[in-house]
Amino acid sequence: MSPLKKIRAAVSVVFFIALGIFFLGSSLIPPGAGNVLTSFQLIPAISKSLTVAFWPSVIGAVLLIALTFVFGRVYCSFLCPLGTTQDIVYRISRKRKKYKHFGMLPPFQWIAYALLAITVSGIVFGVSLLTGLFDPFSIAGRIAADLIKPGLSLLWNLVNDGLNALGVYTFSHEALPVISLATALIAAFFLIGTTILSWTRGRLYCNTVCPVGALLGLISRASLLRITIDPETCVKCGKCAKVCKAGCIDYKNKSIDFSRCVACMNCIPECPEKSIAYRPARKPTVKEFSPERRELIKDSLKYGIGLGVSLVLPASLFGKEIFPSNKPVTPPGSESVDRFMSWCTGCHICVSHCPTRVLKPSFLEYGLTGMLIPRMDYPNAFCEYNCKTCTEVCPTGALKPVSLAAKQTIQIGRVSLEKGRCVVYQKELACGACAEICPTHAVYLVDYKPGLNGPETDNSICVGCGACQSACPVKPIQAIFVEGLDQHLTAKKPKVSQEGPKSAESEEFPF
């Protein structure tokens, strides 16, 4: 194994494991370290640079572009979690003799350029579905949060049941993430699709679908250093092409399509004549025909046309005006539904890290263009008053970092009480679960009849956490619930009692 390949393998394994732990919501990677890791993922780094000017993300985005300009698409093989996943599948597939790959593959980059144009238009128009649907980082996050984490939680609970049967009660059950079937199927579709492509054709996804790969491929056409074949010493044995995951080596013509090369370094140690290596890019003379330059011009024109068409089309064609009247509640730090839909790429890291599991991937609750971005899942859970984890781990800045004091006054929704369904007012039964759990006392009890108190609400201090809704015993539709807001507001400071606000671990919850 060449030194370059060893470095590539070591860096990719470290990033893959660290990002995997962060994706799964483990405390082994704290939010600060997670933010540094995600600063070296292109789409999140660009998004967070634009949304909150997070300096590590700015540095990460600039560094990724600079590295590509010097070395080519090193991001794809060194840092991309989905790329490393494909490499693992590729390595396993090589053990199966019946699969013969790879060799020079015909370029299908026009698909990736079209998706790159769509991704850019998603950022321009604020359509999160277009921005994050094919982003490799967000795909890896959804696979981890929507498939692997629920599976691991279920497995852990089964093991715990087995230990309990043996009389071991040291451990406790873990709350299962609430993932809808539709969002899980979308994550499974990308997992199965990329697995099949990498099993049969190596990095075909990276060169035909991935918008990040398309952008870096365009930049790498001007790379200062690139892997090239020395025509003087090459004997056309084809060993380099057989191990090329990108299918970009034309050994018969002794050329490499460097825009599709993912810099995996597999080809370098395979060459018996040492003909293939990293070298300074050779500048063609003025009279010399340059197929790379012609392809660059053609691809740039395709991308420009695609982007131009996307920009002149009205936003309504992207479905932005399709929006349900029953608005979902967005997490703290998102500021508004429109802003959240503009910048969230649906990586679901906040879903994995949410301690109360109140964040849930949406399907069509935001409309078609808001598919996969998280929403508050009331009444199945509620937002912990003393928690701001989601704002700390968001890699794109869709959730702005806020202090705990600021978060505790952000009004993400407003409470509504339907006395016609409340058991106190309708059945004259003693209750008060909503007032008991409310951390700000926006829901409080008043004298209704002798010996019976009934709830009332004060929206000036309500933060819309949903604790009241989750505690309401009325089924299937609660008597008290939170209505979403288009734009977050600021609530007055809560009336904290001498005991202080109730927390999620309060032993009095819900009765």
Side-chain angles (χ1 to χ4, degrees), residues 421-442:
R421 293 200 299 271
C422 178
V423 295
V424 175
Y425 296 107
Q426 284 301 303
K427 299 181 180 179
E428 297 189 352
L429 296 175
C431 186
C434 52
E436 182 68 26
I437 194 66
C438 179
T440 66
H441 298 284

Side-chain angles (χ1 to χ4, degrees), residues 251-428:
Y251 71 93
K252 294 180 180 177
N253 294 311
K254 302 179 181 179
S255 65
I256 297 176
D257 182 356
F258 198 62
S259 69
R260 290 192 284 156
C261 174
V262 295
C264 68
M265 319 294 177
N266 282 357
C267 55
I268 295 176
E270 293 296 320
C271 181
E273 305 296 330
K274 308 299 181 187
S275 299
I276 190 165
Y278 249 119
R279 298 185 180 92
R282 186 170 62 94
K283 295 182 179 180
T285 62
V286 176
K287 295 181 178 180
E288 187 177 2
F289 172 70
S290 173
E292 291 82 6
R293 181 184 298 172
R294 171 174 289 182
E295 290 300 317
L296 174 61
I297 295 172
K298 288 169 59 179
D299 291 336
S300 299
L301 286 175
K302 292 174 186 176
Y303 169 70
I305 292 171
L307 178 60
V309 171
S310 301
L311 292 174
V312 300
L313 289 176
S316 58
L317 289 184
F318 295 105
K320 193 172 183 179
E321 295 179 358
I322 302 174
F323 199 81
S325 57
N326 186 17
K327 292 184 289 291
V329 182
T330 60
S334 57
E335 294 188 345
S336 69
V337 174
D338 284 344
R339 184 185 176 280
F340 192 46
M341 290 177 63
S342 296
W343 294 110
C344 177
T345 61
C347 68
H348 297 175
I349 288 180
C350 58
V351 176
S352 290
H353 283 259
C354 179
T356 63
R357 304 284 187 264
V358 69
L359 280 172
K360 177 181 178 181
S362 66
F363 182 48
L364 296 175
E365 287 83 357
Y366 289 98
L368 181 62
T369 56
M371 190 168 59
L372 298 177
I373 69 175
R375 63 183 177 86
M376 307 299 271
D377 183 27
Y378 305 146
N380 293 317
F382 62 96
C383 181
E384 168 60 48
Y385 185 67
N386 295 314
C387 174
K388 59 183 181 69
T389 301
C390 57
T391 68
E392 295 174 328
V393 300
C394 178
T396 67
L399 301 180
K400 283 187 173 180
V402 295
S403 66
L404 182 60
K407 183 262 181 180
Q408 290 175 338
T409 59
I410 295 176
Q411 189 176 66
I412 61 176
R414 311 195 81 176
V415 63
S416 289
L417 174 63
E418 289 291 335
K419 293 183 178 179
R421 293 200 299 271
C422 178
V423 295
V424 175
Y425 296 107
Q426 284 301 303
K427 299 181 180 179
E428 297 189 352

